[in-house]
Amino acid sequence: YMIRQEETPWHTRATVVFDDRSAGHDGIGDAGSFERVVEATASIVDLYHRSGYTYRLAGASASGLPAAKGSPHFNRALDLLATVRTSATDTAGTDALVARLLEIDAATAGEGTLAVVTGSLSPEAAMAITRCGRRFRQTIVVTFPSHRFAALTTKARWAGEEAVRDVVKLLARGGAHAIVLGPEESLLSGWDSLTRSASSANRSPAGVAETRAGS
């Protein structure tokens, strides 16, 4: 007897992590960073679906969906994103996003792409992303810093931007590609910029050469 076991090539597998921590976001409703994270995650999931990827979807707190592909999986992913809410729950005093990334690092043998869509990103979370990125061919981070969505003083906004620059430097040193967006900036424009940068290095992030993420 012979058993045929189908295997998915590692380079067409992806893990998508979205930030559902209440502490990582600011702004209200459609004008908030959390709503932008959900929209961007849906666009990336749509990208992988149309590219034929097998992908896992996980929140910082929400358990998400195991790796699969096809229309039923895509519809389940959209249903999850349509109903997900922010959570204040951390794990044993650890930032929930950091805990999720450590879990992925421990459980992943090797995949094509890690995509993290987040609100504000701490240096600890950035370091966890770079450590986790060792398991992946490429790592992409889309961040909507919460201070850009809040009513803050000019001084506080400058401090927020300095923190973002420090985090982006940490990610870059770890080989991660980062897209930083504000309230009026589209994912498409940032993704196109990332594509051009990756093309100059002969690397096409997450199948963007064939399909582009939505706005």
Side-chain angles (χ1 to χ4, degrees), residues 132-151:
C132 190
R134 298 173 300 177
R135 308 288 186 181
F136 297 83
R137 180 176 179 267
Q138 57 189 356
T139 303
I140 299 171
V141 180
V142 181
T143 175
F144 297 91
S146 63
H147 73 272
R148 294 188 178 185
F149 296 80

Side-chain angles (χ1 to χ4, degrees), residues 193-205:
S193 176
L194 181 61
T195 305
R196 290 191 294 271
S197 175
S199 296
S200 65
N202 296 318
R203 296 181 67 188
S204 176

Side-chain angles (χ1 to χ4, degrees), residues 90-194:
D90 287 336
T91 304
T94 302
D95 183 296
L97 180 59
V98 173
R100 178 68 69 193
L101 292 165
L102 293 176
E103 172 195 293
I104 291 171
D105 182 33
T108 305
E111 291 185 8
T113 302
L114 170 65
V116 181
V117 190
T118 179
S120 289
L121 197 62
S122 68
E124 293 76 16
M127 292 300 296
I129 289 172
T130 60
R131 287 195 300 270
C132 190
R134 298 173 300 177
R135 308 288 186 181
F136 297 83
R137 180 176 179 267
Q138 57 189 356
T139 303
I140 299 171
V141 180
V142 181
T143 175
F144 297 91
S146 63
H147 73 272
R148 294 188 178 185
F149 296 80
L152 300 175
T153 64
T154 300
K155 182 179 180 180
R157 287 180 178 275
W158 275 110
E161 290 302 312
E162 289 177 359
V164 168
R165 284 194 293 271
D166 291 342
V167 164
V168 169
K169 288 179 182 177
L170 283 174
L171 293 170
R173 284 201 292 267
H177 304 282
I179 303 172
V180 184
L181 299 173
E184 304 300 327
E185 296 172 304
S186 73
L187 174 61
L188 178 59
S189 61
W191 202 273
D192 282 347
S193 176
L194 181 61

Side-chain angles (χ1 to χ4, degrees), residues 21-56:
R21 303 167 302 151
S22 58
H25 298 286
D26 211 323
I28 300 173
D30 293 344
S33 59
F34 177 65
E35 185 63 27
R36 292 300 311 277
V37 163
V38 171
E39 292 173 353
T41 303
S43 292
I44 293 172
V45 165
D46 179 63
L47 167 68
Y48 289 136
H49 169 62
R50 289 183 284 121
S51 299
Y53 271 52
T54 295
Y55 57 90
R56 172 191 176 187

